[in-house]
Amino acid sequence: MAQPALNIESEFNKAQLMLNQGRLDDAEKVLTRLKAIMAPHPILFEYLGFIAHKRQDLKKAIRFYRKAVKLDPSYLQSKVKLAEVLIANGDEAEAKQIVQSVQRKDPKNVTALNILGTFAAQAGAYEDARSFFTAATESHPKSFRSWHNLGRLLLNGSEWKGAVDALIEADKLQPQDYRTLIYLGCGYTSLGETEKALSLLTRARQLASSKTEICGAGAYIIEAHIRAQNLDKALENINSNESEMPNDPRTQSLRAIVYRQQGRYQDALDIIGKLGDDQSIVDERWYPNELEAQCLQALGRHDDAAQAFVEQNQRQEKVYVRLGKDKTHYLEHVAEAQAIYNEAETATWSDLSGTDDGEDLFFINGFPRSGTTLIDAVLRTHSSIAIAEESSAANNTFLAAQSLMPTTRMNFAKIDRASAETLRQHYLGILQDDLSTDRMGKKVVDRHATGLVQAGLMRRLFPQAQFLLMLRHPCDVVLSAWSTNFQPTNHTANYLTIEDTARIYDRFMTIHTTLEAKFGTNAQIIRYEDLVADLRGTIEPVLAVMGLEWEDQMERFHESEHRPNRTASYNQVSQPIYKAATYRFEKYRDTLEPAMPTLTPWIERFGY
């Protein structure tokens, strides 16, 4: 008796249903029957490629997907799937060519955008990666992968608020994803929102499918407790992690960090000595040389500490290279600002009065590690101050102003009233999201350690705003910046050698003197050494400039729940004022010797 003819469309639908249900063997049987009776069809080979990929048979998957693409070169879905398998097989160059061709034909193809974003991120092209991932979220708002990738990228770029916003969207679309919860928890940790961080990280640990994942989530929980100075809780979770995986190197590294913060410096050094450069923790922000240097410094072993700091920066330099961070990019940006300020003719400026001329706006600038975080921590406790910590508002506005004059160097005299108002609103819109509290009726403080680069433009847009400069002994501030493990950026790539750190300090202070001479910023000087010696006596003149009076809770700034959190100095402002950091450079004169020709003129100029 003759067998009934197969309904090809029905069989395809049956195979697709089986694939959706994870029934790979059953789907393969259906597809094999179809392959024997019908002419080659791209969908048939795409499905077979999918099955092979799921089984991790990458060579067979590549062969099937290539067949699908050959049968219908216009079918982009097979092309992006081929690219994904090629990436898994290590053939990234061909995969990149494929997705670039797909994106040219379909600019909104979400898979291509995500793959291109991943390639850009791996190459250290941060802005390109952000553009691809952002385009993916805009074209496909329901794409979990796009929001997840964007959030992870922003987290790595220290854009914590943006990272959290993106990862929240990813979590809505796929609430039980372990990695998303981990990244979201890390974002909240960096924002200082410990309770939210711990809730999410605990969820992640509950979802963990292996001891490795359990301990991974546990490590991030420990970090959240360390950040919040809950050291007893941190040790409790360290013990819990070790019960799951005894001698786990990452857990041990966190124990060393806790010991250092408890003042158990030799115990921390003992752990570091046993761990060495264990590869399993190298990529988890474990910098043993930095921690070792801090402990050696605390024990008074300054020569050994100096060598450990050198080794730390040598290790960090490899990270910067891997991420594509280049100090020259930021130096060029600073040089451009210097040229703009030197050429500015303030006598030709027209009146740009607008809706907000900055009467209640104050800029606190300086140099990284000069004490801007400390004064931030004190001022933000005042009931009449709203403070923005390390806001991107000024830099973003500087770039927006440059885009108004794409063919020539920015000329402040050519900024007309309408453009000025647009730039002011642009700045204030970004600043509002970064303020510690609503600005209504408050004095607004924009505190940024590198804000001098944008200060000239801010002076032009907000003629009534006032400027304050945080100063610290040039040797101390350069030593501290050089020995700090910053998040890798083009900017922080300038702090890997003592000579480079001194050079960027010189550039910043040169901008400061130009601003005073040509722009009349006349910044009020706040000396770090005065601040730690006499907190109230140093802060009261600052408050007087703002038209405010001292409030007693400012003395207890370190007890506040709203301390600055976007900073390498977070731990320092979580404790009372201490003077140990003043004139520390005396112990490191040999280390600083190459920087002295650059720093000596500034030491003399600032009266140190």
Side-chain angles (χ1 to χ4, degrees), residues 58-106:
L58 300 181
K59 290 184 178 179
K60 184 182 285 189
I62 290 171
R63 189 167 68 249
F64 284 136
Y65 280 132
R66 285 196 194 283
K67 183 72 171 177
V69 170
K70 184 176 181 179
L71 289 168
D72 185 0
S74 66
Y75 186 51
L76 302 182
Q77 183 70 5
S78 292
K79 286 189 173 183
V80 294
K81 287 182 178 295
L82 172 60
E84 289 186 306
V85 181
L86 287 169
I87 291 169
N89 197 49
D91 303 323
E92 294 188 353
E94 183 184 356
K96 188 173 184 179
Q97 290 181 344
I98 291 172
V99 292
Q100 285 174 334
S101 69
V102 169
Q103 206 252 339
R104 283 194 294 269
K105 293 180 179 179
D106 179 10

Side-chain angles (χ1 to χ4, degrees), residues 585-599:
F585 76 89
E586 297 283 4
K587 307 291 185 181
Y588 295 92
R589 286 194 173 274
D590 290 344
T591 301
L592 282 162
E593 185 176 354
M596 293 313 294
T598 303
L599 297 182

Side-chain angles (χ1 to χ4, degrees), residues 66 264 512:
R66 285 196 194 283
R264 298 171 61 180
H512 160 67

Side-chain angles (χ1 to χ4, degrees), residues 235-288:
L235 283 173
E236 181 181 318
N237 281 273
I238 286 170
N239 293 333
S240 176
N241 254 24
E242 289 179 342
S243 67
E244 291 285 346
M245 291 182 67
N247 301 316
D248 172 58
R250 189 172 174 209
T251 304
Q252 284 297 302
S253 73
L254 291 167
R255 183 182 290 279
I257 291 170
V258 172
Y259 282 171
R260 182 190 67 80
Q261 292 198 19
Q262 290 180 325
R264 298 171 61 180
Y265 305 117
Q266 189 57 55
D267 289 339
L269 288 172
D270 291 343
I271 292 174
I272 294 166
K274 293 175 184 177
L275 290 175
D277 289 346
D278 193 300
Q279 187 59 42
S280 65
I281 53 175
V282 163
D283 294 327
E284 294 289 350
R285 291 171 290 137
W286 165 239
Y287 301 105

